[in-house]
Amino acid sequence: MNTSKKATSALISVFHKDGLEPIVKKFNELGITIYSTGGTEKFIKDLGIDVVAVEDVTSYPSILGGRVKTLHPKVFGGILNRQDNENDVAQLKEFNIPQLDIVIVDLYPFEKTVASGASEQDIIEKIDIGGISLIRAAAKNYKDVICVSSMEDYADFLEVISSENGITTIEDRKRFAAKAFNVSSHYDTAIFNYFNQNHEEAVLKISETNGKVLRYGENPHQKGFFFGDFDAMFSKLHGKELSYNNLLDVDAAVNLINEFKKDAPTFAILKHNNACGLAIRETLHQAYVDALAGDPVSAFGGVLISNKEIDVATAEEIHKLFCEVVIAPSYADDALAILKGKKNRIILIQKDIELRETSVRTCLNGILVQDKDNITDALSDFSNATTTSPSENELEDLIFASKLCKHTKSNTIVLAKNKQLCASGTGQTSRVDALNQAIHKAQSFNFDLKGAVMASDAFFPFPDCVEIASNAGVSSIIQPGGSIKDQLSVDYCNENGVSMVMTGTRHFKH
């Protein structure tokens, strides 16, 4: 059976008209009858091309301020009829319904209207009714109709009809139908999520139309994909394609540096989603040098991120290190030239956009969703638990350490001094193990922990951690508190001149 079809008619009704002109002119060249309405009809007429008004077919005008234009049996009958069904063909003749072989329809820009901060009434008016119905109808009847549902597909469609003089294959029509249902399902998801912003319905709907196949997943034997608009968040200036693991590290780096957005020059170095170096200094160059000193071994192959423009002096230091990714809000021209000296080094400019407010992950045979941990411990959250209070410098270090602790895998302990990460114990099953790991690491890189501070992501069930930390030189501690045995740790601190503040907020990260 021949499944190729030569088009003789088309319905066009679009919001976005960029790129439409060459299609309309091709239709005119091929002798395809064009039906249209409203602004699209005027657009076609202005090109000097004949067009049949939909109102002339339906004998009904556009009503209710344009809310009802194409919702009519003579339109949908022309789309949904089965041309291999004798009864359908007979009814077309009986009711004088024109066959529609091509449907070019897009949708009102609902998501852009929401993002613009428009009023609720304006947003509601951008919920498309006729367009979404036409798209679904044409895509459903792909055996006889080809549906073009987005201006992004205009060039592809024009190539299809131009190459075969208006003839389409069943493969063409089914491919465009898949595109159409992608558009319609994404649109409905966006509308639902707008109405369910407060999550009154315990329903999860996610739709990402931008997808990218990665070289592989976490390991070479795993397939990997990224769904999202990476280009909306970053400008990629140089380097190889980002891998699955690169993207995870970049995500961790961005979330961490956002805590220091308004601080003095801050530099962080991350490996396997955890910071192995972090420092705040008067110059970015010194911030990088001191961040690297936190763990120059782990920094190899890491992801580097800054909250300020990278200058030449900093770039020269970075260039000495093998690193996978460098991220900054901007780069001096000469600095960028230096960093491009390694052909595979990925160089990104981070744009100032809002991150998602929820996190999603698979779990068992379902999905876990939660609000992001958007609480950052501040001085106003501190409750002095001990008779000794932290000094001004210690308070600054406690905030610094707490921000970092929040973005480190649990169980974690962070040791910091003079706004520099000395070491952290990450992802340990025991808080004591995390502390011992941090102390050993700090000492192996010659850090003097006398006067350092300690941050813990959760409370201390026993006083063993504060004792070990005090013996290592730690003078001030920040922790959420909440253990029924908090007083044991407080008593030890009081007896040994160590200050402790509690925040009341736990920062587990798994």
Side-chain angles (χ1 to χ4, degrees):
M1 183 176 65
N2 184 13
T3 57
S4 294
K5 292 181 61 65
K6 184 172 179 61
T8 61
S9 61
L11 171 67
I12 310 177
S13 180
V14 296
F15 185 89
H16 302 96
K17 298 171 183 66
D18 295 343
L20 184 62
E21 182 176 339
I23 292 175
V24 172
K25 289 182 176 179
K26 176 56 69 173
F27 285 172
N28 186 54
E29 177 188 322
L30 294 172
I32 294 174
T33 302
I34 303 173
Y35 298 86
S36 191
T37 185
T40 309
E41 179 189 353
K42 181 180 182 303
F43 174 83
I44 296 169
K45 283 182 176 179
D46 288 346
L47 293 175
I49 294 173
D50 291 339
V51 56
V52 179
V54 168
E55 291 86 346
D56 292 345
V57 175
T58 64
S59 299
Y60 247 94
S62 172
I63 62 173
L64 306 181
R67 279 191 163 198
V68 180
K69 291 181 285 190
T70 56
L71 294 168
H72 193 280
K74 283 198 171 184
V75 175
F76 282 87
I79 296 170
L80 285 167
N81 72 90
R82 294 156 292 187
Q83 292 180 33
D84 60 355
N85 183 299
E86 292 181 1
N87 290 333
D88 284 8
V89 174
Q91 286 188 322
L92 289 185
K93 292 180 179 179
E94 179 184 355
F95 296 107
N96 195 28
I97 298 173
Q99 166 64 36
L100 296 173
D101 303 311
I102 301 170
V103 173
I104 302 179
V105 177
D106 64 4
L107 302 172
Y108 293 151
F110 178 82
E111 288 178 282
K112 286 184 178 178
T113 305
V114 172
S116 72
S119 68
E120 183 175 47
Q121 185 56 43
D122 287 341
I123 290 170
I124 297 304
E125 288 305 317
K126 288 297 184 289
I127 298 177
D128 208 313
I129 303 300
I132 200 81
S133 302
L134 290 168
I135 287 172
R136 289 179 63 86
K140 173 180 178 177
N141 200 29
Y142 69 88
K143 286 186 177 180
D144 294 310
V145 181
I146 188 165
C147 178
V148 183
S149 55
S150 169
M151 62 182 292
E152 294 179 2
D153 295 324
Y154 285 176
D156 187 3
F157 172 70
L158 183 60
E159 174 63 25
V160 168
I161 61 165
S162 298
S163 62
E164 297 296 334
N165 293 318
I167 295 174
T168 62
T169 66
I170 187 69
E171 290 80 15
D172 292 329
R173 298 191 296 277
K174 191 170 185 178
R175 179 166 63 88
F176 275 86
K179 290 174 178 281
F181 283 120
N182 179 38
V183 167
S184 66
S185 63
H186 179 79
Y187 196 75
D188 285 339
T189 295
I191 294 170
F192 170 78
N193 285 336
Y194 171 76
F195 280 95
N196 197 43
Q197 292 178 67
N198 296 324
H199 304 290
E200 292 170 356
E201 296 290 330
V203 175
L204 175 66
K205 292 187 184 295
I206 299 174
S207 178
E208 287 290 352
T209 56
N210 292 305
K212 183 177 179 61
V213 179
L214 304 175
R215 295 197 306 273
Y216 51 80
E218 206 160 4
N219 299 293
H221 62 275
Q222 295 170 270
K223 291 182 179 179
F225 305 86
F226 174 74
F227 295 98
D229 191 355
F230 185 84
D231 292 337
M233 189 163 183
F234 298 101
S235 293
K236 183 169 178 282
L237 305 181
H238 183 73
K240 63 183 181 180
E241 291 297 312
L242 280 90
S243 69
Y244 182 99
N245 292 329
N246 287 154
L247 289 165
L248 285 176
D249 282 333
V250 168
D251 177 70
V254 166
N255 280 286
L256 173 60
I257 208 69
N258 275 359
E259 300 282 357
F260 301 92
K261 214 171 190 178
K262 298 179 181 179
D263 285 80
T266 305
F267 213 105
I269 304 172
L270 290 90
K271 193 74 171 289
H272 293 295
N273 309 159
N274 294 302
C276 57
L278 179 69
I280 301 176
R281 292 294 181 260
E282 291 186 3
T283 68
L284 190 65
H285 172 264
Q286 195 59 51
Y288 170 73
V289 169
D290 289 349
L292 181 63
D295 187 347
V297 175
S298 296
F300 182 86
V303 169
L304 282 56
I305 190 166
S306 163
N307 70 343
K308 306 292 182 187
E309 178 175 281
I310 291 182
D311 54 25
V312 171
T314 309
E316 287 175 341
E317 290 296 330
I318 292 172
H319 195 56
K320 299 173 184 176
L321 174 73
F322 168 71
C323 57
E324 290 274 334
V325 185
V326 182
I327 310 166
S330 59
Y331 301 82
D333 290 343
D334 290 345
L336 184 59
I338 293 168
L339 294 174
K340 285 183 176 180
K342 299 285 178 68
K343 70 174 184 177
N344 287 330
R345 179 183 286 146
I346 299 165
I347 303 174
L348 304 174
I349 288 180
Q350 182 185 346
K351 300 176 185 178
D352 190 16
I353 69 168
E354 294 295 321
L355 297 173
R356 293 182 184 271
E357 293 296 315
T358 55
S359 65
V360 181
R361 66 194 300 178
T362 58
C363 179
L364 301 174
N365 62 344
I367 295 171
L368 281 173
V369 181
Q370 67 170 349
D371 294 336
K372 274 197 169 181
D373 183 357
N374 286 326
I375 294 178
T376 298
D377 297 329
L379 288 175
S380 57
D381 302 313
F382 289 9
S383 173
N384 284 327
T386 53
T387 53
T388 302
S389 298
S391 67
E392 185 175 337
N393 286 341
E394 286 173 334
L395 285 172
E396 291 180 351
D397 280 346
L398 289 172
I399 291 174
F400 174 89
S402 174
K403 289 178 177 180
L404 178 52
C405 191
K406 169 184 167 182
H407 293 277
T408 307
K409 294 288 185 183
S410 300
N411 284 314
T412 185
I413 292 288
V414 170
L415 302 177
K417 184 177 178 180
N418 299 327
K419 297 181 184 176
Q420 179 185 20
L421 171 62
C422 299
S424 59
T426 63
Q428 299 300 304
T429 54
S430 157
R431 198 158 303 281
V432 172
D433 286 347
L435 174 56
N436 285 328
Q437 181 191 51
I439 292 171
H440 172 76
K441 193 171 184 180
Q443 291 173 344
S444 70
F445 291 114
N446 299 316
F447 280 100
D448 180 4
L449 293 178
K450 185 176 181 181
V453 305
M454 175 174 75
S456 175
D457 58 340
F459 62 63
F460 301 114
F462 304 102
D464 45 7
C465 280
V466 295
E467 180 179 356
I468 294 168
S470 174
N471 289 335
V474 168
S475 60
S476 191
I477 298 169
I478 182 170
Q479 59 131 329
S483 169
I484 60 174
K485 296 184 179 180
D486 274 345
Q487 194 59 42
L488 294 178
S489 294
V490 172
D491 289 343
Y492 181 89
C493 288
N494 283 333
E495 292 166 6
N496 291 273
V498 176
S499 61
M500 178 187 287
V501 299
M502 296 184 184
T503 64
T505 302
R506 190 181 71 187
H507 293 293
F508 271 165
K509 185 172 185 285
H510 296 110

